Amino acid sequence: RRHTRLQGDWSSDVCSSDLLVPIDNIKRATLRDVSENGFHLQYMSEAMKGDRYVVMTAVTQNGGALQFASTDLQNDPEVVMEAVKQNGFALLYASEELTRDRELVMAAVRQNWNALKYASAELTGDGKFMMEALKQSRFVLRYASEVLKGNREFMMAAVQHRGSALQYASEALTRDREVVMEAVKQNGLALKHASEELRRDRDIVMAALQQDGSALEFASEELRRDRDIVMAALQQDGSAL
C-alpha cells in the first residue's frame, strides 16, 4: 500500500503504527542536528525542547542550549549539570531552585568562576561554599555577600589562601593589621589593597617586600625613600625600582 503522507496526504487508511515512522525520523534528525550544534535546539518543536534525551544531547554539545529547553528540563538536575559542566554560564538558565544546589553551582564555577554571578544569595553568603569557590580564582569574592566581605574570620582564611583576596575585604578589614599582614605574607602585591595607614607601616611593607620586591610601588612615599626598605625590595627583586 502506497502512502503519500509526507506530501501532506494523511489518508484515513493510515494505521497508527505507520505514524511512528515519521516521528522517529524527526527525532533522529533532531538528535543528529543538535549533537553537531546544540544551539539548533532553538529551531526545534516544543515537543523536542521538552524531550529529555534531545535536550541532554544538545547541552552536552553546548551548555548554552539549556536556554531553549522546556521549563521542566531547566529544573532537571541531571540536564542542568551536563549543561554547566560544558559551559558554566548555563547556570543563568537553570531554575531558581537549582541555583541553590551546592554541587551543581560548584560544577559551574569550576568550569567558569564567573558563573557564580548566577548563584543564589544563599550560596554567595555561605562561607564554606565561598572558600571552596576561592580555589578557582580570587575574583569569585566579588560575588561574595557584603556580610562575608566584612567577616574577619572568613577574610583571614581567604587571604591566607590567596593574599590578593584582600581586594574584596571590607574597608574596615583593610585597616586590620593582622589581616593585612597575613595577606602580604602570602602575596606581597596585596599591599596595594591595604589602607593608607598600613602602607606606611614598616613591618607590613617589609613583609610584603620579602614576598615580592615589586610591592615597593605600593608602599608609602616616605618608605619608598627609606634605604633599608629599598634594599629589601632589590634583594628580593633586582628590578623592583
Side-chain angles (χ1 to χ4, degrees):
R1 186 175 58 190
R2 181 173 180 273
H3 299 306
T4 58
R5 58 181 177 279
L6 294 182
Q7 283 73 46
D9 179 18
W10 290 85
S11 58
S12 59
D13 64 340
V14 176
C15 62
S16 60
S17 61
D18 288 337
L19 299 180
L20 297 176
V21 178
I23 292 175
D24 284 348
N25 285 341
I26 290 172
K27 184 169 180 176
R28 190 177 299 113
T30 299
L31 285 169
R32 184 170 57 249
D33 196 356
V34 300
S35 68
E36 295 175 357
N37 188 331
F39 254 52
H40 284 182
L41 182 62
Q42 66 184 302
Y43 305 120
M44 304 306 166
S45 68
E46 293 305 309
M48 291 298 101
K49 291 176 182 179
D51 185 293
R52 194 171 189 275
Y53 188 49
V54 168
V55 172
M56 187 71 85
T57 301
V59 301
T60 299
Q61 198 283 325
N62 189 323
L66 184 64
Q67 65 187 290
F68 307 117
S70 67
T71 301
D72 283 346
L73 291 180
Q74 290 175 343
N75 193 42
D76 184 310
E78 292 183 12
V79 170
V80 176
M81 179 64 84
E82 284 302 310
V84 301
K85 282 165 61 178
Q86 199 285 324
N87 183 342
F89 280 138
L91 187 62
L92 170 63
Y93 308 111
S95 67
E96 183 177 351
E97 177 183 350
L98 292 184
T99 64
R100 297 194 293 269
D101 185 299
R102 300 174 75 91
E103 182 182 358
L104 195 151
V105 173
M106 188 58 70
V109 171
R110 289 192 179 111
Q111 202 286 321
N112 188 322
W113 64 266
N114 234 332
L116 195 58
K117 71 169 71 175
Y118 305 121
S120 68
E122 176 183 337
L123 289 182
T124 57
D126 184 304
K128 185 176 180 180
F129 180 86
M130 292 302 293
M131 279 302 299
E132 182 65 25
L134 185 59
K135 294 177 182 178
Q136 305 306 310
S137 169
R138 77 175 190 271
F139 298 117
V140 299
L141 291 188
R142 73 173 58 174
Y143 302 118
S145 68
E146 293 306 311
V147 172
L148 273 186
K149 292 176 183 178
N151 183 296
R152 190 176 191 276
E153 182 181 0
F154 172 78
M155 287 306 304
M156 181 70 84
V159 299
Q160 287 172 339
H161 179 67
R162 289 184 185 270
S164 53
L166 186 64
Q167 174 181 358
Y168 299 104
S170 65
E171 183 177 350
L173 290 180
T174 64
R175 297 195 300 269
D176 186 307
R177 195 172 190 278
E178 292 182 14
V179 170
V180 173
M181 180 63 84
E182 288 300 313
V184 300
K185 283 164 60 178
Q186 202 284 324
N187 185 335
L189 296 179
L191 184 63
K192 175 181 180 180
H193 307 295
S195 67
E196 185 175 347
E197 177 185 357
L198 291 181
R199 284 188 273 124
R200 292 196 300 266
D201 185 302
R202 190 178 186 84
D203 292 338
I204 292 283
V205 172
M206 191 63 80
L209 296 176
Q210 289 171 350
Q211 201 285 322
D212 191 329
S214 63
L216 180 63
E217 68 173 299
F218 304 121
S220 67
E221 184 177 350
E222 177 184 353
L223 289 181
R224 289 201 305 271
R225 295 196 300 265
D226 184 293
R227 185 178 186 279
D228 291 338
I229 291 291
V230 172
M231 289 302 294
L234 291 174
Q235 185 175 0
Q236 201 286 325
D237 181 353
S239 61
L241 291 182

